[in-house]
């Protein structure tokens, strides 16, 4: 990896943004929009069937050909605070925008905070459904951030595109973070699924294990469940990975 890696944010800022989690859905959305604004990205909305909330989108270098989608979801199951599932993922999106925005990029990056994940992947299904054929073939990758910081970062390998997984291993080595694998086919689904169904290469980064899975969708899903060091490693790894994908993908 040639270029120096930009970790635009300190552990303190990453933790502060995580701690902005709210049990109020409108507040989650407003906080995200305000974080995107703070880092210099004007968001757009896409309305989602069966969901009161829209998807929130932020584009970086939209003039570039070839899109890398980076996703997480801001809705949550109304038990606990949904800090893990999935404020931990979605709250990283503005910071990842920040880590990339001053680099010369080859791709268009689209950061999407999906709505309505828990009730049936409504936001991601809508996004994929609305893509034209050209937009689908122009989407080089969908990287999903789900439930981070419970443990060290892990990849859902059985669902991941092999090329994206190989690149992840490289990026993890560069970030000096082990490239761990944990398949969660039996534990749940996520917003990568509609992209996978559309033939788009996907890779999900998460931190779920058999031991901690019971915490999701329970009162145990709160800030205390998140280890700040593991969470910051997830940020560093995702930032490194996205920069690496930008240099490697067609
Ligand atoms: Zn989730």
């Amino acid at each position: 990896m040639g270029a120096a890696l930009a970790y635009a944010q300190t552990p303190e800022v990453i933790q502060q943004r995580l701690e902005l989690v709210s049990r109020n859905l409108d507040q989650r959305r407003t906080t995200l929009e305000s974080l995107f604004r703070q880092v210099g990205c004007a968001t757009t909305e896409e309305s989602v069937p069966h969901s009161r909330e829209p998807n929130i989108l932020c584009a970086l270098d939209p003039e570039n050909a070839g899109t890398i989608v980076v996703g997480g979801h801001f809705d949550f199951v109304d038990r606990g605070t949904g800090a893990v599932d999935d404020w931990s993922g979605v709250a990283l999106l503005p910071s990842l925008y920040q880590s990339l925005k001053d680099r010369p990029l080859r791709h268009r990056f689209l950061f999407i905070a999906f709505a309505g994940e828990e009730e049936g992947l409504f936001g991601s299904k809508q996004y994929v459904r609305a893509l034209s054929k050209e937009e689908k073939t122009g989407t080089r990758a969908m990287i999903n951030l789900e439930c981070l910081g419970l443990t060290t970062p892990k990849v859902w390998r059985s669902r991941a595109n092999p090329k994206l997984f190989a690149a992840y291993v490289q990026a993890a080595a560069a970030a000096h973070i082990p490239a761990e694998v944990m398949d969660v086919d039996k534990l749940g689904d996520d917003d990568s699924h509609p992209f996978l169904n559309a033939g788009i290469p996907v890779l999900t980064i998460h931190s779920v294990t058999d031991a901690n899975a019971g915490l999701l969708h329970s009162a145990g899903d709160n800030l205390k469940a998140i280890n700040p060091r593991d969470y910051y490693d997830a940020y560093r790894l995702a930032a490194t990975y996205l920069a690496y994908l930008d240099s490697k993908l067609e």
Side-chain angles (χ1 to χ4, degrees):
M1 304 190 52
L5 298 165
Y7 308 130
Q9 281 310 341
T10 61
E12 290 71 28
V13 170
I14 294 299
Q15 186 64 24
Q16 277 162 19
R17 290 176 179 173
L18 176 67
E19 289 176 8
L20 293 175
V21 66
S22 163
R23 293 196 73 252
N24 178 298
L25 191 55
D26 288 333
Q27 185 62 49
R28 285 164 99 95
R29 172 188 169 180
T30 312
T31 301
L32 268 177
E33 286 168 336
S34 130
L35 284 174
F36 275 125
R37 217 176 306 123
Q38 273 177 44
V39 302
C41 192
T43 53
T44 56
E45 295 176 1
E46 174 182 46
S47 57
V48 173
H50 319 295
S51 165
R52 200 161 52 85
E53 304 290 331
N55 291 332
I56 311 290
L57 298 89
C58 149
L60 173 59
D61 290 357
E63 67 286 357
N64 289 351
T67 300
I68 297 174
V69 172
V70 189
H73 68 89
F74 69 98
D75 64 305
F76 70 114
V77 170
D78 202 8
R79 286 186 286 277
T81 61
V84 178
D85 187 7
D86 180 35
W87 186 255
S88 65
V90 87
L92 283 188
L93 299 180
S95 304
L96 292 169
Y97 172 92
Q98 235 172 350
S99 72
L100 293 171
K101 72 173 179 157
D102 295 326
R103 304 171 64 92
L105 295 172
R106 296 168 58 237
H107 295 84
R108 164 180 186 255
F109 277 84
L110 196 55
F111 299 88
I112 313 181
F114 290 109
E117 194 266 357
E118 298 288 2
E119 295 192 314
L121 313 179
F122 292 142
S124 48
K125 279 179 185 164
Q126 172 56 29
Y127 174 79
V128 171
R129 191 186 302 128
L131 292 175
S132 67
K133 222 182 196 176
E134 291 70 32
E135 287 169 328
K136 261 179 214 163
T137 51
T139 305
R140 309 282 187 248
M142 191 281 185
I143 307 305
N144 199 41
L145 306 175
E146 259 283 359
C147 302
L148 302 171
L150 291 172
T151 59
T152 48
K154 300 175 190 355
V155 169
W156 186 350
R157 187 182 186 174
S158 55
R159 177 173 286 190
N161 169 277
K163 267 192 191 163
L164 291 184
F165 179 71
Y168 180 88
V169 172
Q170 294 291 313
H176 305 289
I177 296 170
E180 294 177 9
V181 166
M182 169 68 197
D183 292 334
V184 288
D185 306 72
K186 290 193 180 121
L187 296 175
D189 204 355
D190 75 2
D191 285 318
S192 67
H193 208 160
F195 290 83
L196 181 75
N197 286 349
I200 295 167
V202 304
L203 182 140
T204 291
I205 305 173
H206 67 92
S207 69
V208 178
T209 64
D210 288 324
N212 67 31
L215 206 138
L216 304 175
H217 301 184
S218 85
D221 182 347
N222 57 52
L223 280 173
K224 275 182 267 170
I226 298 177
N227 177 321
R229 272 184 51 186
D230 290 336
Y231 186 57
Y232 192 66
D233 276 354
Y235 164 65
R236 283 203 305 128
L237 183 42
T240 306
Y241 184 44
L242 295 178
Y244 188 60
L245 284 183
D246 183 62
S247 69
K248 284 288 162 191
L249 293 180
E250 175 209 336

